[in-house]
């Protein structure tokens, strides 16, 4: 049987999250189609440390999937670019 | 309809002249310029660094402008947003909208700014006497964007 | 707070730069530019002559600007209005308002335009293929000014 | 007894009214304090011709007294500058 964990998406961290995670992004192995952004975040949170702090429930985290604003319930697919970032403050 | 993200400073007069050049249908140009203040949230600010999400920024701005064009009778719209390090009094963003009449130009310009503030992937980091800090989003910006629900004109 | 009435063309960039120069309290500049269109009320327009009431114009504009300053938290306001003969695409009027935050700047700029349109003693005469004609006032301008009753913010 | 008609104010005509009356203004003898702008306009209308047409009841005429917006009920005094003009169309 195929190990679906070999499917990957690319996670991008921006602004305060990029600094807190000391990473601008990474390849992320996941269970394949049907997985939601909320589930991806839940997995990241499980790493503890800055991940648990910055992604704690109640912290405002914004999401874009393939560079379009998305929500925790958005489903992701192999190859997707999932960006996590704080509320925007441009202008 | 033009959106640009750039490090370089821009000339406000040239930008406005360029977008309306020769178009005698234009009767109204509403513009907004956001500039760096030397104080924010009770701390003095000596510099600002603007970060963005390169892949997404232009498309997010383009969508906001297209949405404005679908809601109001406008002729053209221009958004120029700077990234990188900026100092107090420098211009961060220019939004300019042309129309036959002023109501459409004003409304579309304000709409674009409200959604740019809540939907376009830019983040500000300030240098203050206590060090660097990320600027917090304001509830008032969310409220401003919420005014423009689809059935509100 | 500056109001000017003049025949000469003005440079939009210079005017905006001049009013905000060096003031690091400014975070927002809202501007409006009114320009001559080549069509109005279904007739093509080749020129416009702006007449005014010299004794009254500056004081009427000054009062509108002072009223805006009393209603919103603005730092400065500039009104430049041209008189004499103008051609399509030329700028007629510039209103620029500086403030710490954009909502005050936008509202004050729109307010000044709405009252300029209904209270400042200027009159337009158009040259059309059928000859010269005085431009009629628009009900929509009265309606726009009426939005700003003293208890509406 | 003093002939109050020797009191004068200065009437100014602007834009379409200036053209219709072929006059940018004139000295205007009136009955003195207590007279309203409406009474001044009524006298002018009595001249007939363009005066009757342009100042006909129902025509939109705007008024400034001493360069401040005023209304038909505003009272005028010797030496006042009373301007009559169409609704403004600047901007």
């Amino acid at each position: 049987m195929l190990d679906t964990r070999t499917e990957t998406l690319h996670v991008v961290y921006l602004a305060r999250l990029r600094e807190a995670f000391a990473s601008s992004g990474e390849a992320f192995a996941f269970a394949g189609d049907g997985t939601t952004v909320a589930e991806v975040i839940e997995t990241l949170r499980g790493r503890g440390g800055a991940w648990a702090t910055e992604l704690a429930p109640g912290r405002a985290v914004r999401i874009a999937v393939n560079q379009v604003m998305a929500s925790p319930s958005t489903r992701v697919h192999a190859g997707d670019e999932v960006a996590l970032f704080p509320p925007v403050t441009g202008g | 309809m033009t959106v640009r993200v750039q490090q370089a400073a821009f000339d406000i007069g040239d930008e406005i002249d360029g977008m309306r050049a020769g178009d005698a249908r234009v009767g109204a140009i509403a513009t907004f310029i956001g500039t760096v203040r030397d104080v924010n949230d009770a701390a003095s600010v000596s510099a600002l660094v603007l970060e963005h999400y390169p892949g997404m920024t232009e498309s997010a701005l383009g969508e906001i402008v297209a949405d404005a064009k679908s809601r109001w009778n406008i002729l053209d719209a221009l958004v120029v947003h700077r990234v990188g390090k900026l100092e107090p009094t420098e211009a961060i963003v220019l939004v300019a909208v042309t129309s036959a009449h002023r109501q459409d130009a004003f409304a579309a310009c304000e709409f674009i700014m409200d959604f740019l503030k809540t939907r376009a992937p830019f983040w500000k980091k300030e240098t203050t006497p206590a060090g660097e800090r990320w600027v917090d989003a304001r509830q008032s910006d969310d409220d401003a964007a919420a005014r423009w629900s689809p059935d509100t004109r």
Side-chain angles (χ1 to χ4, degrees), chain A residues 10-89:
Chain A
H10 192 69
V11 187
V12 173
Y13 310 118
L14 292 151
R16 198 190 64 237
L17 297 190
R18 178 178 47 72
E19 287 193 346
F21 302 158
S23 166
S24 60
E26 61 186 291
F28 181 90
F30 76 118
D33 289 4
T35 300
T36 65
V37 175
E39 288 163 348
V40 173
I41 291 175
E42 183 60 38
T43 303
L44 294 170
R45 189 186 293 139
R47 296 174 176 176
W51 304 89
T53 311
E54 293 291 340
L55 301 177
R59 288 300 293 265
V61 173
R62 298 288 184 266
I63 300 153
V65 174
N66 296 331
Q67 307 178 352
V68 173
M69 283 289 195
S71 72
S73 62
T74 302
R75 295 184 187 282
V76 291
H77 307 93
D80 279 356
E81 178 172 305
V82 177
L84 304 180
F85 46 81
V88 302
T89 57

Side-chain angles (χ1 to χ4, degrees), chain B:
Chain B
M1 308 287 147
T2 306
V3 304
R4 273 180 10 236
V5 178
Q6 62 186 45
Q7 288 218 326
F10 50 82
D11 184 282
I12 294 161
D14 287 352
E15 297 290 347
I16 295 172
D17 287 346
M19 81 174 296
R20 75 185 189 89
D23 189 347
R25 297 171 303 168
V26 174
I29 308 155
T31 76
F32 178 82
I33 303 150
T35 55
V36 183
R37 295 190 302 142
D38 64 1
V39 64
N40 190 33
D41 287 339
S44 71
V45 173
S46 59
L48 205 62
V49 175
L50 259 293
E51 174 175 332
H52 74 129
Y53 181 9
M56 181 177 167
T57 321
E58 279 91 347
S59 64
L61 293 174
E63 239 177 83
I64 294 167
V65 166
D67 198 1
K69 191 168 167 55
S70 76
R71 285 171 173 245
W72 291 282
N73 201 359
I74 65 177
L75 291 164
D76 201 3
L78 168 70
V79 178
V80 185
H81 201 299
R82 292 180 67 193
V83 292
K85 189 172 177 187
L86 300 177
E87 294 183 355
T89 78
E90 284 196 79
I92 303 166
V93 61
L94 167 69
V95 175
V97 178
T98 57
S99 178
H101 302 290
R102 75 184 182 288
Q103 288 88 351
D104 289 294
F106 269 123
C109 187
E110 222 173 325
F111 173 92
I112 290 170
M113 273 309 301
D114 285 348
F115 279 82
L116 185 154
K117 283 267 185 186
T118 53
R119 293 297 188 105
F122 294 100
W123 299 271
K124 287 181 184 138
K125 192 184 208 177
E126 298 173 331
T127 304
T128 74
E132 296 193 327
R133 65 180 187 189
W134 290 99
V135 173
D136 279 331
R138 293 176 192 278
Q139 180 61 41
S140 60
D141 286 328
D142 286 333
D143 296 345
R147 290 183 299 163
W148 308 99
S149 68
D151 49 336
T152 313
R153 283 289 295 268

